[in-house]
Each structure stands twice: as structure tokens, then as C-alpha cells.
Amino acid sequence: MTAPHDAGGSKGSVREATDFSVYHGKRIALILEHPKGRRVAIRGTACFTRDAKLGPVLRITPDKQGPGFPVFVVSEAEWRGEIYPDRDCGCDYCFDMG
């Protein structure tokens, strides 16, 4: 498993499986593709847990909570996006679903 300090490549992206536990309590910008082609950043705090069906996961609770704001669950085993240190969103890391 790769920890954030071991990240290499462009933008410091993680190329191997990542141990999500190292992101517990970190500020995360989850980068999503908007249906109209724009990229949107949802900012929140990560909580590492183990799910009975999914295994190790990060639950990212968005800063703006209210009706219609979900908690995002990112599975360590299924993650195929990029992870890199954040430079633009005011967070610790970006999880880019690309």
C-alpha cells in the first residue's frame, strides 16, 4: 500500500493501491464530473472505517450539510481515480474521479 508521502508521478498522484487509513481526519476535495462537462469540487472531512460489505472505506462528509447532501463513501478496493496533494481547494488532498 502507498501512503500519501510516498505518492509520485504528476501532481503527486498515487499510482498503486492506497491505504485509506492515512487520510482519516484529513480535508478532502472530491473532484467530480458535472453532467454539463464541468468539474466540481466537494470539500469535506474524511473518516476511515471498515464496512462489512465494502471493506476499508473513507466516508467523506461534505462541509455543507443539509437536505440532499449525502455522505460520500469511497471504497479502498474499488478506487481507480487519482489522489494528489491539493493546491486549489483549501484541502489536504484531492480525490479525482477523472
Side-chain angles (χ1 to χ4, degrees):
M1 297 282 182
T2 304
H5 64 278
D6 295 328
S10 65
K11 294 192 282 186
S13 62
V14 175
R15 296 186 180 186
E16 300 174 20
T18 298
D19 178 356
F20 276 6
S21 67
V22 299
Y23 299 105
H24 179 78
K26 301 291 185 189
R27 300 274 305 135
I28 302 294
L30 187 58
I31 310 297
L32 307 170
E33 291 287 330
H34 189 274
K36 294 185 179 183
R38 293 186 321 234
R39 294 168 52 85
V40 212
I42 297 175
R43 295 165 191 83
T45 303
C47 177
F48 177 77
T49 62
R50 295 192 185 274
D51 183 90
K53 293 181 182 177
L54 299 173
V57 297
L58 276 182
R59 295 184 187 279
I60 301 171
T61 304
D63 293 342
K64 297 181 180 179
Q65 279 294 321
F69 282 91
V71 171
F72 293 88
V73 178
V74 182
S75 167
E76 185 176 286
E78 299 296 322
W79 177 255
R80 298 293 179 264
E82 287 187 276
I83 302 170
Y84 48 87
D86 178 37
R87 295 183 184 141
D88 302 318
C89 298
C91 294
D92 298 307
Y93 294 97
C94 288
F95 277 55
D96 192 335
M97 297 180 71

